[in-house]
């Protein structure tokens, strides 16, 4: 339910709008000041000139305003639908449909922001393009190195700790049965880290090739950059896509099984968490 805020590349910088799911007193401030805050994250990847920085802030602010009016009400509806599905003890297939539907919001956001971001990308010098690619590659390589520093057992333990903390946040204190369900789900999870890094590097290679095609027409440049930004599955291996689907089904199944074990106190705790999220979205809509 919660999105982690990562450092951003030019093609993904609009992702900061997903801050709406970071519950807390700073959410409203961050959401309403995305244009200003973006400069801190973008500086880690590329040095924009004054005009480009102004252009970027305008893109983000315009996208945020559209997002507030068009997308936030959809997020609210999805939260309410998900709560209702859980109340009705939805099956795995129903939850998978809803989770897949929620993922579409991210694509909607990219589609809306892609055209103005492409216009900004057209103004980048070759030096800026090289800098962007080099910094993205460095980040990916750092992620790979960090992942490779863990043994398989260490990785599974780290993931289990994260999973247990996640469900404790939503349910409160877990019963022994619930802990075992989470452990079983963690053991059954297919590790896709290496496949994700391959995907990231493949997508980056496509961006680098495009950036180093000086004779390409503006129309073809825009078309190819939009594909890189919005059609990420084109750069995924069949193995990754299949594993993602299996893991999604396993996650939905775990929710179904956990839902059967909830105490009255845990149900109340979940209601509180949902109410806080819906309240956050309502405040952002109204501001």
């Amino acid at each position: 339910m919660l999105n982690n805020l990562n450092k951003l590349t030019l093609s993904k910088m609009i992702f900061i709008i997903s801050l709406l799911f970071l519950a807390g007193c700073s959410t409203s401030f961050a959401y309403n000041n995305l244009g200003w805050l973006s400069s801190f994250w973008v500086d880690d990847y590329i040095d924009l000139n004054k005009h480009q920085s102004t252009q970027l802030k305008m893109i983000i602010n315009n996208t945020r305003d559209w997002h507030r009016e068009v997308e936030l009400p959809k997020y609210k509806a999805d939260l309410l639908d998900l709560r209702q599905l859980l109340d009705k003890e939805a099956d795995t297939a129903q939850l998978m449909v809803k989770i897949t539907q929620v993922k579409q919001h991210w694509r909607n956001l990219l589609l809306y922001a892609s055209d103005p971001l492409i216009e900004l990308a057209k103004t980048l010098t070759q030096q800026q393009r090289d800098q962007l690619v080099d910094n993205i590659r460095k980040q990916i390589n750092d992620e790979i190195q960090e992942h490779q520093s863990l043994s398989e057992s260490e990785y599974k333990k780290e993931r289990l700790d994260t999973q247990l903390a996640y469900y404790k946040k939503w349910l409160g204190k877990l019963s022994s049965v619930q802990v075992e369900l989470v452990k079983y789900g963690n053991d059954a999870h297919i590790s896709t880290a290496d496949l994700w890094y391959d995907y990231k590097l493949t997508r980056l290679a496509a961006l680098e090739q495009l950036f180093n095609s000086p004779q390409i027409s503006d129309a073809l440049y825009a078309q190819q950059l939009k594909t890189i930004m919005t059609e990420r599955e084109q750069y995924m291996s069949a193995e990754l896509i299949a594993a993602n689907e299996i893991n999604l089904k396993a996650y939905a199944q775990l929710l179904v099984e956990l839902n059967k074990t909830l105490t009255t106190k845990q149900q109340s705790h979940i209601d509180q968490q949902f109410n806080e999220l819906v309240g956050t979205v309502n405040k952002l809509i109204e501001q």
Side-chain angles (χ1 to χ4, degrees), residues 36-102:
W36 173 70
L37 290 171
S38 65
S39 59
F40 292 97
W41 292 301
V42 174
D43 283 347
D44 287 337
Y45 286 89
I46 186 171
D47 296 323
L48 299 177
N49 62 38
K50 185 175 181 180
H51 178 73
Q52 290 167 334
S53 294
T54 300
Q55 189 177 352
L56 172 62
K57 291 175 184 177
M58 184 177 300
I59 291 170
I60 292 178
N61 287 335
N62 288 343
T63 303
R64 178 205 58 206
D65 293 342
W66 163 83
H67 187 265
R68 188 195 307 274
E69 179 180 354
V70 176
E71 291 296 296
L72 286 185
K74 296 178 184 177
Y75 286 2
K76 177 182 176 181
D78 281 336
L79 285 172
L80 296 175
D81 285 349
L82 181 57
R83 187 68 190 103
Q84 188 176 44
L85 280 174
L86 293 173
D87 283 340
K88 292 181 178 180
E89 297 186 355
D91 60 27
T92 302
Q94 290 173 310
L95 285 176
M96 288 181 68
V97 169
K98 174 51 65 176
I99 295 169
T100 301
Q101 180 182 331
V102 169

Side-chain angles (χ1 to χ4, degrees), residues 203-265:
R203 199 176 182 193
L204 178 61
L207 180 64
E208 184 175 25
Q209 182 178 5
L210 179 62
F211 277 174
N212 290 305
S213 302
Q215 305 304 320
I216 196 171
S217 68
D218 279 355
L220 188 56
Y221 176 86
Q223 177 187 338
Q224 292 186 10
L225 185 52
K226 188 161 190 171
T227 297
I228 294 170
M229 292 173 64
T230 64
E231 304 293 340
R232 67 177 195 164
E233 284 201 354
Q234 288 196 23
Y235 305 95
M236 293 181 182
S237 66
E239 185 180 0
L240 176 57
I241 292 173
N244 285 342
E245 187 68 13
I246 293 171
N247 285 337
L248 173 60
K249 184 176 181 179
Y251 171 64
Q253 182 61 40
L254 176 58
L255 292 182
V256 169
E257 295 301 321
L258 285 172
N259 203 38
K260 297 175 182 177
T261 69
L262 298 179
T263 64
T264 301
K265 185 176 181 179

Side-chain angles (χ1 to χ4, degrees), residues 20-231:
L20 74 98
F21 279 135
L22 290 176
C25 61
S26 63
T27 302
S28 178
F29 173 82
Y31 188 88
N32 291 314
N33 292 277
L34 289 174
W36 173 70
L37 290 171
S38 65
S39 59
F40 292 97
W41 292 301
V42 174
D43 283 347
D44 287 337
Y45 286 89
I46 186 171
D47 296 323
L48 299 177
N49 62 38
K50 185 175 181 180
H51 178 73
Q52 290 167 334
S53 294
T54 300
Q55 189 177 352
L56 172 62
K57 291 175 184 177
M58 184 177 300
I59 291 170
I60 292 178
N61 287 335
N62 288 343
T63 303
R64 178 205 58 206
D65 293 342
W66 163 83
H67 187 265
R68 188 195 307 274
E69 179 180 354
V70 176
E71 291 296 296
L72 286 185
K74 296 178 184 177
Y75 286 2
K76 177 182 176 181
D78 281 336
L79 285 172
L80 296 175
D81 285 349
L82 181 57
R83 187 68 190 103
Q84 188 176 44
L85 280 174
L86 293 173
D87 283 340
K88 292 181 178 180
E89 297 186 355
D91 60 27
T92 302
Q94 290 173 310
L95 285 176
M96 288 181 68
V97 169
K98 174 51 65 176
I99 295 169
T100 301
Q101 180 182 331
V102 169
K103 288 182 178 180
Q104 182 62 33
H105 295 310
W106 167 231
R107 176 170 164 75
N108 291 343
L109 187 60
L110 282 178
L111 286 172
Y112 182 87
S114 59
D115 287 344
L117 284 175
I118 288 168
E119 291 305 310
L120 173 58
K122 289 178 180 179
T123 72
L124 298 179
T125 65
Q126 189 59 48
Q127 181 179 0
Q128 287 175 312
R129 295 179 181 188
D130 293 342
Q131 179 190 31
L132 178 60
V133 170
D134 289 343
N135 284 332
I136 296 174
R137 182 179 289 111
K138 181 180 183 301
Q139 180 195 336
I140 296 173
N141 288 334
D142 287 345
E143 292 174 1
I144 293 173
Q145 185 175 1
E146 181 178 357
H147 175 69
Q148 290 177 341
S149 69
L150 297 175
S151 65
E152 183 177 351
S153 60
E154 288 173 332
Y155 171 78
K156 279 188 172 292
K157 183 181 182 304
E158 187 175 280
R159 186 178 186 279
L160 176 60
D161 290 342
T162 301
Q163 290 287 299
L164 289 172
Y166 170 84
Y167 288 108
K168 285 177 183 177
K169 174 178 175 58
W170 279 90
L171 306 183
K173 184 177 180 180
L174 302 179
S175 69
S176 59
V177 171
Q178 290 166 341
V179 170
E180 287 305 311
L181 284 172
V182 175
K183 287 182 177 178
Y184 179 81
N186 190 67
D187 289 339
H189 177 81
I190 300 173
S191 176
T192 57
D194 291 337
L195 296 174
W196 274 107
Y197 296 135
D198 289 343
Y199 147 75
K200 289 182 178 182
L201 290 171
T202 298
R203 199 176 182 193
L204 178 61
L207 180 64
E208 184 175 25
Q209 182 178 5
L210 179 62
F211 277 174
N212 290 305
S213 302
Q215 305 304 320
I216 196 171
S217 68
D218 279 355
L220 188 56
Y221 176 86
Q223 177 187 338
Q224 292 186 10
L225 185 52
K226 188 161 190 171
T227 297
I228 294 170
M229 292 173 64
T230 64
E231 304 293 340

